[in-house]
């Protein structure tokens, strides 16, 4: 069966309503397209757990700030469609921006607290855009379960809080980060890296692994010292610039001073003009 492409909200809602009436379960994988193996791992998980799999492809203008890479964000619809067909996705929901945001005054969904840390510090308004679009997608696709990657760990926590606070009746799954052979986390933005930048981008994983080593071997427990070691690894690369490195509580995202128990080590690094994020949870 070829994948069904739906661009209109009302058609999507009608279609999923009828599937729900037939008792079929719906799994949603929300994406901004330029699909890679990370997305496909979410699709595979959704395929194994649901009767119907919907992939949404929408580069959401509301989650990009002024001067960010909305215009340059990779778009690859033809390839995405082929991958969805191969993975037996049932529906690709790919609305135009005007369909999702028809007017200029937008009702927005804002989660407080979790959103002013890590990525929220340098991307003001980003999570408001994410929560707004994801809540719209939940109302349009009406999934029983939605699937997200651990690479966007903070995004997952924020969406989980939004879903609880707004009483969305669905399950959320966080699936492991998928990595290249050299450890670089898969990301649609990796397509923006030049070959030299791609090599330099290995420093994100190297820095995270050095944190893991220092914590696991109990060599260092002060978060400040671990962060300095990580910064030194990243600064060895002439094209890399740290946006943030945080060691924090994996539930509240509050920074910790010294590592006891489980922590999230998260970072964002510009490699050239491309901002990449990654994280590990270490117990
Ligand atoms: O993670 C992403 O690709 C996006 O932030 C999402 C969840 C699809 C919302 O636009």
């Amino acid at each position: 069966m070829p994948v069904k492409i739906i661009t209109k909200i009302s058609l999507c809602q009608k279609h999923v309503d009828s599937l729900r009436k037939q008792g079929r379960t719906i799994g949603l994988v929300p994406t901004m397209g330029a699909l890679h193996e990370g997305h496909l791992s979410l699709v595979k998980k959704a395929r194994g757990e649901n009767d119907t799999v919907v992939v949404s492809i929408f580069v959401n203008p509301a989650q990009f700030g002024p001067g960010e890479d909305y215009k340059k964000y990779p778009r690859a619809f033809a390839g995405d469609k082929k991958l969805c067909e191969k993975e037996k996705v049932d529906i690709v929901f790919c609305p135009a921006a005007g369909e999702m945001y028809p007017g200029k005054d937008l009702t927005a969904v804002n989660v407080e607290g979790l959103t002013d840390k890590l990525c929220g510090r340098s991307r003001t308004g980003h999570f408001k855009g994410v929560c707004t679009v994801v809540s719209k997608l939940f109302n349009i696709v009406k999934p029983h379960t939605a699937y997200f990657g651990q690479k966007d760990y903070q995004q997952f926590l924020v969406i989980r809080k939004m879903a609880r606070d707004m009483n969305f009746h669905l399950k959320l799954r966080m699936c492991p980060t998928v990595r290249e052979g050299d450890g670089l986390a898969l990301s649609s933005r990796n397509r923006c890296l030049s070959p030299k930048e791609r090599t330099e981008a290995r420093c994100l994983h190297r820095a995270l692994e050095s944190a893991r080593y220092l914590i696991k071997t109990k060599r260092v427990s002060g978060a400040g010292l671990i962060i300095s070691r990580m910064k030194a690894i990243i600064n060895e690369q002439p094209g890399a610039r740290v946006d943030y490195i945080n060691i924090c509580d994996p539930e509240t995202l509050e920074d910790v001073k010294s590592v006891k128990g489980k922590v999230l080590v998260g970072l964002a690094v510009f490699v050239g003009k491309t901002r990449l994020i990654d994280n590990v949870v270490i117990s």
Side-chain angles (χ1 to χ4, degrees):
M1 273 267 283
V3 58
K4 195 175 176 65
I5 307 291
I6 303 186
T7 58
K8 296 292 170 210
I9 293 171
S10 57
L11 275 184
C12 189
Q13 284 173 320
K14 227 162 119 184
H15 197 71
V16 295
D17 282 346
S18 120
L19 291 169
R20 273 186 164 255
K21 271 198 198 120
Q22 295 162 41
R24 293 175 69 85
T25 55
I26 300 169
L28 168 65
V29 181
T31 81
M32 299 207 296
L35 302 182
H36 50 68
E37 283 300 326
H39 295 117
L40 300 184
S41 73
L42 306 180
V43 170
K44 287 184 177 104
K45 185 87 179 147
R47 185 71 284 164
E49 294 182 351
N50 299 275
D51 301 317
T52 301
V53 176
V54 181
V55 171
S56 64
I57 299 182
F58 179 60
V59 185
N60 172 33
Q63 68 188 75
F64 292 81
E68 289 188 349
D69 57 350
Y70 173 64
K71 289 221 169 93
K72 282 200 315 211
Y73 194 87
R75 284 146 172 100
F77 186 72
D80 291 349
K81 184 170 169 245
K82 277 197 194 131
L83 288 172
C84 287
E85 259 156 8
K86 192 160 161 260
E87 295 301 332
K88 303 201 175 2
V89 168
D90 300 285
I91 300 170
V92 169
F93 175 60
C94 49
E99 176 75 2
M100 290 296 267
Y101 301 123
K104 74 176 169 35
D105 297 320
L106 177 65
T107 301
V109 181
N110 195 29
V111 169
E112 291 183 350
L114 284 174
T115 52
D116 56 16
K117 299 165 179 77
L118 304 169
C119 287
R121 283 196 189 115
S122 46
R123 299 191 73 190
T124 321
H126 167 68
F127 288 112
K128 187 162 146 193
V130 169
C131 287
T132 302
V133 82
V134 171
S135 59
K136 283 166 79 69
L137 290 170
F138 287 171
N139 283 325
I140 296 165
V141 178
K142 304 179 190 178
H144 295 83
T145 311
Y147 298 80
F148 298 89
Q150 189 193 319
K151 183 176 72 65
D152 297 286
Y153 186 97
Q154 182 179 18
Q155 169 172 278
F156 181 82
L157 289 196
V158 170
I159 291 171
R160 188 178 68 180
K161 172 125 178 68
M162 174 198 77
R164 284 177 183 164
D165 290 352
M166 301 305 287
N167 308 104
F168 280 106
H169 187 52
L170 81 175
K171 285 190 230 134
L172 298 175
R173 291 248 194 284
M174 180 165 71
C175 303
T177 303
V178 179
R179 298 179 181 280
E180 301 274 12
D182 62 3
L184 179 67
L186 294 191
S187 161
S188 304
R189 286 190 170 93
N190 293 354
R191 296 183 188 213
C192 305
L193 300 169
S194 69
K196 183 167 174 279
E197 289 166 347
R198 170 64 188 79
T199 307
E200 293 191 321
R202 291 179 188 158
C203 67
L204 278 84
H205 183 246
R206 273 210 305 276
L208 289 170
E209 284 310 306
S210 88
R212 191 199 298 280
Y213 174 77
L214 293 173
I215 294 170
K216 286 275 183 199
T217 56
K218 298 196 171 73
R219 274 167 202 256
V220 184
S221 66
L225 198 51
I226 299 170
I227 292 172
S228 319
R229 301 269 183 98
M230 293 174 73
K231 276 191 181 148
I233 291 172
I234 289 163
N235 290 337
E236 279 166 15
Q237 306 304 316
R241 176 170 63 82
V242 173
D243 179 16
Y244 71 78
I245 302 179
N246 282 114
I247 303 186
C248 55
D249 179 285
E251 289 298 318
T252 63
L253 303 184
E254 292 294 345
D255 284 341
V256 299
K257 282 209 168 68
S258 83
V259 178
K260 293 185 206 92
K262 211 171 176 188
V263 287
L264 171 76
V265 185
L267 49 65
V269 174
F270 282 95
V271 181
K273 291 202 166 107
T274 307
R275 185 176 177 278
L276 302 175
I277 58 171
D278 200 353
N279 65 76
V280 285
V281 177
I282 306 172
S283 355

